[in-house]
Each structure stands twice: as structure tokens, then as C-alpha cells.
Amino acid sequence: MKKLILLLVTMIITLSPLFSYAQKGTIRGTIFDEGTGEPLFGVSVLVEGLQIGAVTDFDGDFEILVDPGTYSLKLSFISYNTLQIGNVVVTEGQVTLLENIKMAEFTSDLETVTVSAEAIRTTEAALMSVKRNAANLMDGISRASFRQIGDGDAAAAIKRVTGVSVEGGKYVYIRGLGDRYTKTILNGVQVPGLDPDRNTIQMDIFPTNVIDNIIVSKSFTAELPADFTGGIVDIETVDFPEEKTMVLSVTGGYNPTMHFNKNYLAIEGGSKDWLGFDDGTRTIPTQGIDDIPQFAEVVGNPNSPRGLQFQEILRNFNPVLGGTRQNSPMDIGMGYSIGDQFKIKDKRFGYNMAFTYRNETQYFTDAQYNLFGKPSDANNFEMEALERSTGDFGVNSVLLGGVAGLAYKTDNSKIKLNLLRLQSGESKVGQFFFVNTNLGAEFEANQYNIEYSQRAMTNILLNGEHFLNRGKWNLEWKISPTKSSIEDPDVRIIRFRVPNNTIGTEVGLPNRIWRSLDEESLFGSLDLSNNYNFKGSSAKLRFGGAYVYKDRDFLIESFQFPAGSATFTGDPNRVMDEENLFSSTNRNGLRYDPTFIPINPNAYNSNLNSYQAYVSNEFTPLNNLKAIIGVRMETFNQFYTGTNQTGTIVFDNEKVLDDVDFFPTINLIQSLKSNQNFRAAYSRTIARPSFKELSFAEILDPISGRTFIGGLFPETTNGGTEILWDGNLQSTRINNFDLRWEKFMERSELLSASVFYKSFDNPIEMVQFLSDPGAFQPRNVGDGQLIGVELELRKSLGFVSNKIEKFFFNTNLTYVKSQIEMSESEFRSRQLSSREGEVVSRTRDMAGQAPYIINAGFSYNDPIIGLEAGVFYNVQGPTLTFIGFGNRTDTYTVPFNSLNININKTWGKDERIQTTFNVDNLLGDKREEVFRMYNAEDQIFSSINPGRRIALRFRYTIW
């Protein structure tokens, strides 16, 4: 893979200068149908006064080489109004770009329509036409907008799309539905991100200058994957850059509460931490040893070969168990991208490359992670504290990413090769004061945490498009393998009971954990479409299929360290001093215990395969009524190899999920006026459990102290007589209904109103594990439903006065009412633990669904002077996150009021310099979750303060 990337880079940099035309200038453009937004194939483009011209290809693209000067272009196409473009200025060795030319079908004896080149450059005509005529409910943002507003990456840009919110600056949520019901794809392909268990890939790794469009679909059509409900985001990268570009960017970020803070917690890591991966500093001491010696077999003879091996392993554990206070650096980021197109013997090639590096530091003080429960007395309305943890922790995150693409185009075909490589490393160091009052064990302790996690992902996409019979038939194929990995080497947790600084089983023995995940996947698809006429109107028949394969190996190896007779000072970095360790002269010294031997439920293999096929027909049965009717079929088989916690259940490639589903979809679009639509849609979609959820794994988050329990593990109570969960985790099937009225106006203005309804069969939610405080498990709960309304407005204030037409107001308001019909065991559990006077309903809120979302912004945009500035506000209503059970109460998010300022300015010669200034979390709000109980005061589940972050980015266009 490294050699392939190096070869591609070398070839591009070497060849690109050979194919420039310094003595001439180039006119490039793309022509679209004004009504449909589809590219026009075969348009004649003539340079008036010269006997030269071009004809558009299947992408609607054309290119003409001319001497420097000012020209007029004449565009003609059968059954379309002729278009004349004046004032086309061509400079020697430069590209004059006309990327959004729209042509209207012939309607009368109009003379030639004349527009200026400048007017074309500042429109988003194509994307707006696509939105208006799309088969499904969609929105998006195009490269024309990127050029104007100056957003540096996809995460910043997509915030401007109505109905979209971005979690943690990375992950997209649509209509308030979380990751389970939202999906991200890249160039139409399902690509895992740095977290393979998420449906959404992080958006901030893609610089906007390599993106063509970001399309957000809020309803389903048959050619899309069926495993989404809220929406699907498709990031389409540029294959043929319109002009030669080379861009360099530098970013600096400062948070007053986090940066240049002398109390920041950290450790000395490896020499390559700054690149996002460990250099071997954290390697497990037992690496390569099949038969690990244990204390019981060596305590009687420490100097035997096995005893000496035991002592060697013990002393090879890194003795650092606590962080040190030091000064924290500010955030830095760098980006570089290059792209161009060239010809070899009339065959066109295009390339893109982009590299991103970020090194960011966070320091959280007074962070809280607590557990509260219901008291046994039904007349007591004050929640009982079970565990409380308060302290500080520092986080250093590194991201190194690269995107490269090479495209080749002939008269009727286009072949693309895209490479994506991501590498990240994250170090966490924490220090907490821990108070336990649960299960009759009351103690206080000082807790120290050290973590490191490195993640990598490599994806290749080979994509071909073939246009047959002058575009009547279109054949597209895709092949995309991906390799992902996560390594958590040497996670360290230690507690000292105060005031005596003792270590024992009551406070929890020191723990060291090594986790690894390796996943390989393969995606392939074949799609065909046929353009034909139905009752005198254009129609399109689509059909095709896809194949998905994934294979994952997961392993956790954990060690505990009984202290024996050793005594400690409370300094975590003195615990593994030589005088404390087991030896021939100190047989009751501190030793290790490999808890993953002989049974390891955290060693498993999972694999899946899915065969998919679809057919869809888009036609116009009645005047001004478009119908898109289709059905998709997906088979989905998931297998598991592993054992449960006691070894009584052993699966050997056991089929744990066996689904065959048909997903019908109907989309109706009634054109009320040329700029107004009424839409009605129905579809059936699905949400499947992940590999992690369909396992016996137990995965600890050391900072918060919470444990994930795989969904295959059953839970019972009352001596095993009552089943709380049977371990049979199933997919969620969803019926979706949408109604929407929309009005498209000038300058990308939009007004729309929507009503949507969704019903959920066996939704999966995270439920608190009754027998293990702080443990949470995915389970199917009772059936659910939601109904919502959505209002979208994007409008210039020019309707008030022309003097303020460059000011824009945009808002997206969503209100949702959701409910889950509780299972019998959950309903009975709530009844038994109810408070005096509390009436327990059969229904409750749906987990993961925000009851309301407010996105609002006020901005100024003047592309002539290169200034765009705005204030943007986002808030989501209190959302149920974890389901209470027994004496455990429900947890809800507290609304986070996000107010951000963004200013972009383009300046300098040829507007090559762009500066971006932004302030995040201007209100200084905290991110919190709380426990809630009837008539009780909310109690903190988790609380961190992200502070206010100020960032300044410089972007210089070299070419």
C-alpha cells in the first residue's frame, strides 16, 4: 500500500508540469439542464469569431484552448434555448472556469439568452436544480459554496446544511437521530471510519478543496443502502479539478482554560506519538509467549525457569502508573492539497491529493462521572449516590490523514482510483477522587488513569462509469477494500484507599489492559440505468446489486496486580519499585495475574456477508407528478466465534444474525409551480447491531468507569427465575413516512415544511445492567414510534431593503414526539421501584431521539469583497441516553447551547490568501448528562466543561 501511494504521488508530481500549456489559456466549464440539474451530453460550445469549439462529454464538461484575450461563447443544443456567454477573459497559462452553466429547454421563440461569465461563477445552479428535482428529500452544499464561504473541512461546511448537527466537531446527526440511524458514505461507498462500530465517518478529515458536493438524503430510495433512518450523507470527491490548484493551510487553536495550563496532566509517551502511533513503548510484556507463567505455579520456586520468566515479565511492565503536571500546548493543524487535469493523446487525466495533520490538546478540570440509584424506600425522593468520581484529565489527540485520487476519461468512460489513509493517536491521563457507597462497601480513594489508543484505516476505491448509446444506458461499477485497526496498548488504572494509601480488592486491584481490533471489509457494486421516454416525458429505470463482506478479530488481555504485603506511599509511580515486586526474597510481593486465562470472553471473531439487489423506476404518470417506485432486497448473515464469561457457551462461527428483507420505497413529487414542490414518501429501512453489540465482550472505559456488555450475554434476577434479557439481539426495522412542501428561491434561498412519522420494530437501546453498577448493554426494547415536524428557512434580508440583501437568516426547527412501548420486564421493574404517588405509564421516551432541535444562523456574505461572517446557534432538547432498570434511573442529556462565530476573508493578489477566524462555545456551556427520577432533583451522571475555543486559520493558494 505504501509503495502504491508513493508511486502515485511521484507520477503526479513528475508528469503534471509536462502537460501544461503556458502559451495559451484554457476555458473549462460544465453545462447542466436547468430543470433537472443533470449534465448535458453533446452541447456545442463555439468561440465566436474563431473557428474553434468543443462538445460536452457525458459529465457535461468541455475544454477549449485559446490565446489570451476576451471572448464570447455560443452554446447550442437541440430543443434548448441557445445561450451566449460574454466577457470570458482568458489569461496565459491560466484556467477560466465556468462551472455552473445552466441551459433551459426551448419553450418559445426566444432569442439567444445572454449572461456574463461572472454571473455564472457565483451561482449554485446545478445543485439547486438537483435538490428541486431529486427523487428523495435531500439537501446539500457544493464546491461553489466552498469557494465563497471558505470552510476548511467537510465538518465545518455541513453545519450549514439544514437539519444537520455535528457532534464533537466530527460526526453528523440528522433530525436529532444519533449514530445508529445516520449513515455516512464516501463516493457512494460504505467506508468505515476510525471507529468501525460507528455508522458515520468523521467529517473533519476531508478538506473542502477535494470535495465536489456533500449530499444529505433524508428519505430512502432503492439504490441507497437500507441501514439508515434519519439520513445518509454522501461525500463526493472531485475527480477532475477544474483548474490547477496547490493549497497550503495552517491552523492554530487556543482555549483559555485548557492551553498553557501548568496543571495539565500527561506522561512521557513514545517517540512517534506525535504521528499518531506507538513506537513499541507500550508493547505487552507477554508478547509472543503462548504459555504465560502464573503466580501459583512459581511462588514455591521463584528461581526455577518458569519463576525467572515470571519475574522478567513482571519487571517488563512499564512502571509509570500516574501522570505528572506540566504545561499544555495549544492546538495546531496543517493541510496541503494539490490537484489538476491534463491530457495525453486526447485522453484526459485528473488527480487530487490532500494531506491533513492535527495535534490538539484538551484539559478538563472538575470532571464528574457518577452513579446514582433509587432508594429502597418508596417515600424517599432523594436519589442515593452509589459512586462519585471527580477530577482532572488531559487529552492529546493526533490525526494524520491523506486522500489521493487519479481519474481517467475517454469519450464514453471514466475510471477513478481513490486512496484514503487515516492514522490517529489519543493519549489520556487522569487523576480523580473516587467515593464508593455501593453494595455495602464504603471507601474513598485516589484514582490514577493512563490510556493510549491508536487507530488506522486504509481504503481503496476503484470506480468505473461507462456511457453507452450516447448516454441512454449508464453502467457503473465499484470495488472497495478497507482495512481498519484499533490498538489500546497498556491502559492503566490504580486506586489508593485514603487515608492509608492501601491497595486491595475492595478499592479494586491495579489493572493493565491491552486491547486490539483488526477488521477487513470488501464492498462491490454494479449499477445500471436506462433513460427512456414514458408518455412523452423523460424516465429512468435503475437496477443493480452489491456485495459486502467484513471480518473482525478482537482481543483484550488484562492483568491485575495483587499487592501482597507491599506497602505504598500513595505515589503511583513508586508502586512497581523493585523492593515491592515478587522475587525469591520477597515471595509475597506485588505480582501480576493474567485474568484472561483460562477463559477470555473478550477474544472473538465476527464476520458477515450481505448480498443486495434493487430495482427502481422514475417516471411521470401524470402531468407535473413524478413517481419513483422501487424495492431493495438485502440478505445479511453475521457469524460469531467466542465464549461467554463462564465458558459454558462456546460459539464456533455460529450464525447470530440471519436476515432477509425487502425494502419498498415510494417517492411522489407534485410540481406545484416551477419553484415549488409537494413531496410524499414511504420507505422501509433497517438498523442492525454492530459486531461489538453481538458479542460477549466486556469493554471498560477507564476514565468514566463504565463498562459495555455485549448483547449476547443474558441477564436474570430472583435466582435466575426471572429473565430480564435473553441475549437474543435482533435488527430494528423501521417504516418511514414523509410529507414536505418546499419552495426554491434565488441565491440558494429555501422555505420548506415537513411532517414525518416513523415506527420502530424491536429498537435497540442501551440499558443499564441491573446486577453490575456502571455496566450498560444493548437490548431490544418494546416497539416505538415518533412523529415530527420540521421547518426550514434560508432567506436573504433583501426583501426588507436592497441595502441589506447580503445578510442572510437561516433556521431549522424540528420538534419530535417519540415513545416506546415498554417490554413487560421493564414495565414491571419500573412499577416495583416507583415512588409514592408515581403513575408508571406503559410508554416512555425513545432513547437517542432529541425532542427538539434548533439550528439558527445570521450571516453576511459578499463574494465580491471575499467576506463571509456569521453567528450560528444550535441546541438539542434533553435526550434519553441510557435506560434505567430496577433501582437504576434513566439518564438524559442536558441541552448544550452552542453559539459559534465564524468569519472568512479572502484577500491579497488574485485572492490567494484566505483567513478564517472562529470562536466555538461562546456561551461557555457544559456538556452534561443527568440521572432523573420522579419528583427528585437531577443528579450528575457526567459533566465536562469544553470551554471556549478560538481558532485562526491561514490558507494560501499557491496555484
Side-chain angles (χ1 to χ4, degrees):
M1 175 57 65
K2 292 181 180 178
K3 292 182 179 179
L4 180 61
I5 295 174
L6 181 61
L7 177 63
L8 180 62
V9 172
T10 304
M11 182 183 69
I12 289 171
I13 294 176
T14 303
L15 291 180
S16 59
L18 302 179
F19 304 100
S20 59
Y21 299 86
Q23 73 277 18
K24 291 181 179 291
T26 304
I27 303 172
R28 286 186 187 139
T30 307
I31 304 175
F32 299 92
D33 184 309
E34 183 179 30
T36 66
E38 296 286 334
L40 289 177
F41 187 3
V43 177
S44 172
V45 183
L46 179 67
V47 181
E48 294 192 317
L50 301 177
Q51 297 302 313
I52 58 174
V55 176
T56 58
D57 62 17
F58 47 80
D59 283 331
D61 295 335
F62 69 89
E63 176 180 298
I64 305 172
L65 294 176
V66 294
D67 292 322
T70 302
Y71 301 93
S72 292
L73 303 182
K74 185 176 181 180
L75 284 60
S76 57
F77 191 47
I78 187 169
S79 77
Y80 282 74
N81 292 322
T82 300
L83 182 65
Q84 183 169 336
I85 303 174
N87 197 32
V88 180
V89 179
V90 179
T91 305
E92 179 180 337
Q94 302 295 317
V95 175
T96 299
L97 182 61
L98 306 171
E99 61 177 328
N100 278 310
I101 305 172
K102 54 181 180 179
M103 294 185 68
E105 289 193 59
F106 181 81
T107 54
S108 64
D109 294 329
L110 287 175
E111 297 181 358
T112 300
V113 178
T114 302
V115 297
S116 69
E118 183 61 34
I120 289 174
R121 292 192 193 100
T122 57
T123 66
E124 260 198 301
L127 184 58
M128 290 304 292
S129 295
V130 170
K131 293 178 188 178
R132 186 168 62 249
N133 294 278
N136 53 354
L137 305 181
M138 64 156 286
D139 208 325
I141 189 167
S142 75
R143 59 186 172 186
S145 285
F146 302 150
R147 192 172 286 114
Q148 291 181 33
I149 61 182
D151 288 325
D153 58 57
I158 201 171
K159 292 178 183 178
R160 303 172 186 272
V161 177
T162 53
V164 171
S165 56
V166 179
E167 177 206 20
K170 301 176 183 180
Y171 300 106
V172 173
Y173 284 10
I174 299 174
R175 285 179 167 175
L177 283 165
D179 179 76
R180 188 180 301 280
Y181 301 110
T182 302
K183 192 175 187 69
T184 305
I185 56 178
L186 177 65
N187 293 312
V189 172
Q190 304 176 44
V191 177
L194 288 171
D195 186 346
D197 287 308
R198 297 187 75 109
N199 261 335
T200 53
I201 189 172
Q202 62 188 84
M203 302 286 288
D204 57 347
I205 61 174
F206 299 101
T208 51
N209 56 308
V210 302
I211 299 175
D212 194 18
N213 295 300
I214 302 176
I215 302 297
V216 180
S217 299
K218 298 178 183 177
S219 66
F220 172 68
T221 51
E223 64 271 16
L224 296 173
D227 53 341
F228 79 93
T229 298
I232 187 168
V233 180
D234 189 3
I235 305 170
E236 300 176 356
T237 57
V238 174
D239 46 22
F240 286 90
E242 305 91 345
E243 51 190 337
K244 182 168 65 174
T245 62
M246 181 184 289
V247 179
L248 180 67
S249 65
V250 178
T251 303
Y254 171 68
N255 189 315
T257 62
M258 295 187 178
H259 298 140
F260 307 119
N261 190 318
K262 295 181 180 180
N263 291 316
Y264 174 71
L265 280 165
I267 64 167
E268 183 179 351
S271 62
K272 297 181 180 178
D273 284 7
W274 68 279
L275 291 174
F277 59 91
D278 178 58
D279 64 354
T281 300
R282 305 171 178 90
T283 300
I284 188 169
T286 57
Q287 186 180 36
I289 300 175
D290 295 326
D291 184 17
I292 299 173
Q294 299 190 55
F295 179 72
E297 65 176 295
V298 304
V299 64
N301 192 0
N303 290 326
S304 67
R306 294 283 285 172
L308 294 175
Q309 185 182 31
F310 182 95
Q311 294 183 58
E312 181 183 8
I313 292 172
L314 177 64
R315 284 157 177 79
N316 283 336
F317 283 96
N318 191 320
V320 177
L321 292 175
T324 57
R325 303 283 181 175
Q326 52 188 266
N327 202 34
S328 57
M330 64 181 289
D331 298 339
I332 61 169
M334 294 176 285
Y336 173 80
S337 63
I338 183 174
D340 196 9
Q341 56 175 280
F342 54 89
K343 284 187 175 181
I344 301 179
K345 295 182 180 180
D346 296 327
K347 306 301 182 186
R348 199 180 338 168
F349 293 82
Y351 68 86
N352 262 307
M353 288 189 298
F355 302 95
T356 300
Y357 176 79
R358 287 203 306 273
N359 192 319
E360 298 177 345
T361 299
Q362 294 175 292
Y363 178 52
F364 299 97
T365 59
D366 298 322
Q368 294 186 57
Y369 297 98
N370 304 322
L371 289 176
F372 281 80
K374 299 177 183 179
S376 57
D377 183 0
N379 291 300
N380 189 342
F381 293 90
E382 182 178 347
M383 281 183 271
E384 293 180 341
L386 306 178
E387 294 177 0
R388 286 168 290 169
S389 181
T390 303
D392 310 332
F393 67 96
V395 183
N396 178 248
S397 303
V398 172
L399 174 67
L400 185 64
V403 182
L406 180 65
Y408 164 70
K409 183 187 285 189
T410 67
D411 291 340
N412 295 297
S413 296
K414 181 165 60 177
I415 308 295
K416 296 185 292 185
L417 174 65
N418 287 319
L419 307 176
L420 174 63
R421 169 67 181 183
L422 302 175
Q423 179 76 43
S424 77
E426 182 177 83
S427 173
K428 289 183 182 180
V429 179
Q431 184 173 326
F432 295 86
F433 185 69
F434 183 85
V435 180
N436 186 86
T437 53
N438 189 34
L439 300 177
E442 298 189 9
F443 62 85
E444 296 178 348
N446 289 321
Q447 175 179 308
Y448 300 87
N449 295 81
I450 297 175
E451 295 180 51
Y452 186 79
S453 179
Q454 69 177 46
R455 303 180 180 216
M457 189 270 280
T458 304
N459 171 259
I460 302 173
L461 168 63
L462 185 61
N463 174 207
E465 291 183 78
H466 308 278
F467 295 81
L468 312 174
N469 196 9
R470 293 191 59 80
K472 184 177 180 180
W473 281 91
N474 179 19
L475 169 65
E476 183 173 10
W477 52 267
K478 297 174 182 176
I479 300 174
S480 180
T482 303
K483 182 174 178 60
S484 304
S485 67
I486 300 177
E487 299 288 337
D488 296 341
D490 203 3
V491 176
R492 311 166 210 179
I493 313 117
I494 187 172
R495 286 180 187 153
F496 295 97
R497 183 167 184 167
V498 294
N500 298 323
N501 294 319
T502 57
I503 293 176
T505 55
E506 189 175 52
V507 297
L509 295 175
N511 203 4
R512 309 284 285 265
I513 302 169
W514 277 261
R515 288 191 289 239
S516 66
L517 179 154
D518 291 289
E519 182 169 310
E520 296 178 349
S521 65
L522 176 65
F523 173 87
S525 67
L526 180 67
D527 301 275
L528 294 96
S529 64
N530 173 232
N531 296 300
Y532 69 99
N533 286 324
F534 179 81
K535 293 185 177 181
S537 298
S538 298
K540 181 176 289 188
L541 175 67
R542 293 186 177 97
F543 55 96
Y547 173 73
V548 180
Y549 174 78
K550 294 183 181 181
D551 184 272
R552 172 183 295 186
D553 287 308
F554 184 78
L555 175 66
I556 297 179
E557 295 175 294
S558 58
F559 299 81
Q560 289 186 342
F561 291 79
S565 59
T567 59
F568 306 101
T569 65
D571 183 350
N573 295 323
R574 300 295 304 275
V575 168
M576 299 197 72
D577 285 354
E578 177 61 34
E579 62 266 23
N580 295 328
L581 302 182
F582 167 79
S583 67
S584 59
T585 59
N586 185 13
R587 299 194 183 194
N588 197 27
L590 184 139
R591 59 269 191 179
Y592 70 80
D593 176 19
T595 57
F596 58 95
I597 296 175
I599 299 171
N600 189 0
N602 291 312
Y604 72 80
N605 170 269
S606 289
N607 64 86
L608 66 83
N609 59 74
S610 176
Y611 294 90
Q612 306 168 7
Y614 74 91
V615 61
S616 174
N617 193 23
E618 179 179 332
F619 61 101
T620 306
L622 300 173
N623 189 32
N624 294 325
L625 177 66
K626 182 189 292 187
I628 304 91
I629 300 175
V631 64
R632 185 179 186 89
M633 184 275 294
E634 293 186 359
T635 68
F636 193 91
N637 297 297
Q638 188 164 321
F639 302 85
Y640 183 80
T641 298
T643 182
N644 68 346
Q645 283 74 357
T646 59
T648 55
I649 301 175
V650 178
F651 287 171
D652 184 7
N653 208 34
E654 186 85 12
K655 185 180 289 187
V656 291
L657 198 62
D658 185 5
D659 291 340
V660 179
D661 290 275
F662 290 86
F663 304 100
T665 171
I666 301 173
N667 286 268
L668 302 175
I669 305 111
Q670 177 69 51
S671 178
L672 305 177
K673 293 182 180 180
S674 61
N675 66 340
Q676 290 186 43
N677 289 331
F678 180 77
R679 295 176 178 268
Y682 163 75
S683 63
R684 184 170 173 84
T685 54
I686 195 168
R688 301 184 180 99
S690 67
F691 279 146
K692 181 174 72 173
E693 291 176 330
L694 267 177
S695 75
F696 286 112
E698 295 184 24
I699 304 172
L700 171 69
D701 176 19
I703 293 289
S704 66
R706 295 163 195 164
T707 301
F708 171 90
I709 304 292
L712 292 179
F713 189 81
E715 185 181 26
T716 61
T717 188
N718 293 331
T721 60
E722 183 178 349
I723 298 175
L724 300 179
W725 171 244
D726 62 3
N728 184 27
L729 192 62
Q730 297 296 312
S731 301
T732 303
R733 290 164 176 84
I734 307 105
N735 291 299
N736 309 277
F737 301 85
D738 289 89
L739 296 174
R740 171 164 156 155
W741 171 84
E742 56 193 11
K743 181 179 181 180
F744 298 88
M745 297 168 281
E746 296 296 326
R747 292 175 295 193
S748 302
E749 297 173 351
L750 172 68
L751 174 63
S752 71
S754 306
V755 177
F756 54 93
Y757 171 83
K758 301 177 185 293
S759 64
F760 298 78
D761 180 21
N762 283 327
I764 301 172
E765 298 183 344
M766 294 299 295
V767 178
Q768 299 187 55
F769 212 72
L770 183 62
S771 58
D772 187 0
F776 304 87
Q777 183 181 46
R779 298 178 181 177
N780 294 114
V781 296
D783 295 342
Q785 58 185 342
L786 64 83
I787 186 169
V789 294
E790 186 176 44
L791 299 176
E792 301 178 32
L793 173 65
R794 190 162 55 237
K795 181 67 177 172
S796 163
L797 298 186
F799 71 94
V800 177
S801 169
N802 290 335
K803 296 181 180 180
I804 55 174
E805 65 178 358
K806 295 178 182 178
F807 289 89
F808 290 81
F809 174 74
N810 66 82
T811 185
N812 169 246
L813 307 175
T814 305
Y815 174 78
V816 179
K817 176 63 178 176
S818 67
Q819 68 176 32
I820 292 288
E821 187 80 23
M822 286 187 281
S823 66
E824 190 60 39
S825 61
E826 180 184 349
F827 178 66
R828 184 168 180 272
S829 166
R830 290 179 182 267
Q831 281 186 316
L832 292 174
S833 61
S834 64
R835 304 295 92 186
E836 186 67 33
E838 180 182 4
V839 178
V840 179
S841 171
R842 279 277 183 182
T843 63
R844 58 162 171 80
D845 296 336
M846 180 177 177
Q849 174 63 63
Y852 63 83
I853 308 167
I854 300 173
N855 284 308
F858 183 74
S859 60
Y860 174 84
N861 187 9
D862 188 340
I864 304 301
I865 66 172
L867 177 63
E868 193 269 348
V871 179
F872 304 95
Y873 174 76
N874 167 263
V875 66
Q876 296 190 26
T879 304
L880 178 62
T881 51
F882 293 104
I883 313 304
F885 218 92
N887 73 330
R888 309 285 187 264
T889 69
D890 296 331
T891 66
Y892 281 82
T893 61
V894 177
F896 178 78
N897 294 278
S898 173
L899 182 65
N900 305 322
I901 295 176
N902 194 78
I903 302 173
N904 297 299
K905 180 69 176 77
T906 303
W907 48 287
K909 184 181 178 181
D910 300 325
E911 298 183 335
R912 290 179 179 269
I913 301 175
Q914 185 179 79
T915 55
T916 302
F917 173 80
N918 59 57
V919 182
D920 292 338
N921 194 24
L922 191 63
L923 300 177
D925 214 355
K926 292 184 178 181
R927 292 195 177 274
E928 294 183 328
E929 294 179 71
V930 295
F931 291 96
R932 286 193 174 166
M933 187 182 79
Y934 176 75
N935 273 359
E937 181 181 353
D938 291 348
Q939 298 293 339
I940 295 294
F941 178 48
S942 65
S943 175
I944 60 171
N945 185 358
R948 299 177 181 87
R949 184 178 186 271
I950 304 167
L952 183 64
R953 181 174 69 97
F954 289 91
R955 183 176 183 266
Y956 180 67
T957 302
I958 301 171
W959 295 340

